[in-house]
Structures are given as structure tokens and as C-alpha cells.
Amino acid sequence: GKNVVLLEATNANGTGKAALVIDVMSNQAPVAINNLAVSSANSAIKLTWTATANATSYSVKRSLTSGGPYTAIQTNITGNSFIDPAPAYEVNNYYVVTALIGENESAISNEVFGSVPPAVPSNLVAVSNNGQVSLTWDVADGASTYKIKRAMTSGGPYTEIASVSGTSYTDNNVTNGTAYYYVITSKGTTLEST
């Protein structure tokens, strides 16, 4: 806790007073977190845990191997959740969290893991020409191929019409004057984005 120390000094030039506030931190490490939980959606992995008494911050650590070694990917977290901004795609990402009181760090939490598919392709552009529709999109992290899906109504159902390794496709199986709706998904080795 905080302690106030009053200082008073006197010399030939007079007397002076000052107050010194000392914030005493525990020299004990906090209790380890034992309820780390993981959830994943699309290309994000979210960690949550219950706050540890007296903890001033948390550190999230990740490994691609169960049991570590772990590397800190975010420190000085003051809340009790974290979203990994850059998980490795299509493999298990193993996480632990430590609690800190100042510089004193707890033992690691229980280990959890999550896996995510490649990122969702973005910036889809469709250009209609005579008897064809040309599609382009941005590269999606973790993708090795892209599935082009088409529907006759907005929202689908969508049917896969092609799979390509690049970021463009021309649909030549269209009729002028007919509306077509497209979605692109990315696929890694085994997982597909939504």
C-alpha cells in the first residue's frame, strides 16, 4: 500500500519540510491463473481468464509446441482477455498467461490451444463484361488456394465454381443481363475460411 513519510530538516539556512509517498509493492508473486480459456472465430484466437488478486498486469505467451518453450507475445495487459493479432494458421497455437505484481511473476497458467483457418479474402471486385465477370481480391494470409462460389440470389446458397491459386478469376459461364453473386474463401492445407 501507500505510505507517507514526512521529512523535516534544519540547517544554517533554515528549516524545510517535505512529504514522500512510498508505494510498497508486495515482494510475493501472484497466484497462477488456473482457468485460462480459449475460443476461435475466423482468423482470431481469443483468450480469457479470471483476474488474480493484486495482479497489476498479465503476460500472454505462445508456442507452436505443447509444453513450450513459450515466447511472450504481449505484456502489460491490464484486463483479463486478449485477442492474438497474428496466430499461426492451420496449426495449434499453445498459450499460457502469467500474472504480475510489479516485476514479480506467477507460475504459468494452464495451457490452452487454438487453431485458425487462413484469413478471409478482402476487397473483392467484380467487373462485368460481355459474357463474363472478372473477379479480383487481395491476398489472404495463410491461403494456398481460393474457392470461388456463386449464387443467383444475394446471401446464397453459393455453389463452388472454381478453385485457383492466384487472386483473380474470370467467370465465362454467365448470361448477359442476369445478376450473379460471388463470395471468395481461402483454403490452406486443411482449413477453409468462412
Side-chain angles (χ1 to χ4, degrees):
K2 294 188 187 289
N3 294 294
V4 178
V5 177
L6 299 175
L7 303 173
E8 185 174 333
T10 304
N11 64 19
N13 295 323
T15 300
K17 293 183 181 181
L20 176 64
V21 178
I22 301 172
D23 192 4
V24 178
M25 301 296 287
S26 170
N27 64 353
Q28 298 293 316
V31 174
I33 296 164
N34 64 7
N35 63 349
L36 180 62
V38 65
S39 60
S40 58
N42 292 331
S43 296
I45 295 176
K46 181 177 182 178
L47 305 173
T48 56
W49 59 90
T50 301
T52 298
N54 301 321
T56 55
S57 67
Y58 299 93
S59 178
V60 172
K61 302 174 183 187
R62 179 180 63 201
S63 175
L64 297 180
T65 305
S66 179
Y70 303 101
T71 301
I73 58 171
Q74 184 68 49
T75 58
N76 297 317
I77 299 168
T78 56
N80 62 339
S81 67
F82 174 75
I83 296 175
D84 187 347
Y89 299 104
E90 294 199 278
V91 296
N92 287 337
N93 292 263
Y94 296 91
Y95 299 91
V96 294
V97 175
T98 57
L100 292 100
I101 298 175
E103 298 295 319
N104 297 320
E105 187 171 24
S106 72
I108 62 172
S109 67
N110 57 298
E111 179 185 74
V112 295
F113 68 91
S115 179
V116 293
V120 176
S122 60
N123 298 320
L124 175 61
V125 176
V127 177
S128 63
N129 297 309
N130 187 20
Q132 65 182 24
V133 176
S134 297
L135 305 168
T136 59
W137 56 91
D138 291 345
V139 170
D141 290 340
S144 56
T145 59
Y146 300 92
K147 290 185 176 184
I148 296 85
K149 300 177 182 182
R150 183 179 73 187
M152 301 302 287
T153 58
S154 179
Y158 293 94
T159 301
E160 182 178 338
I161 60 171
S163 180
V164 298
S165 59
T167 57
S168 64
Y169 174 75
T170 300
D171 185 358
N172 293 310
N173 190 18
V174 297
T175 302
N176 290 339
T178 302
Y180 297 95
Y181 300 88
Y182 296 90
V183 294
I184 310 295
T185 60
S186 60
K187 188 164 184 334
T189 307
T190 59
L191 300 176
E192 181 178 354
S193 68
T194 55

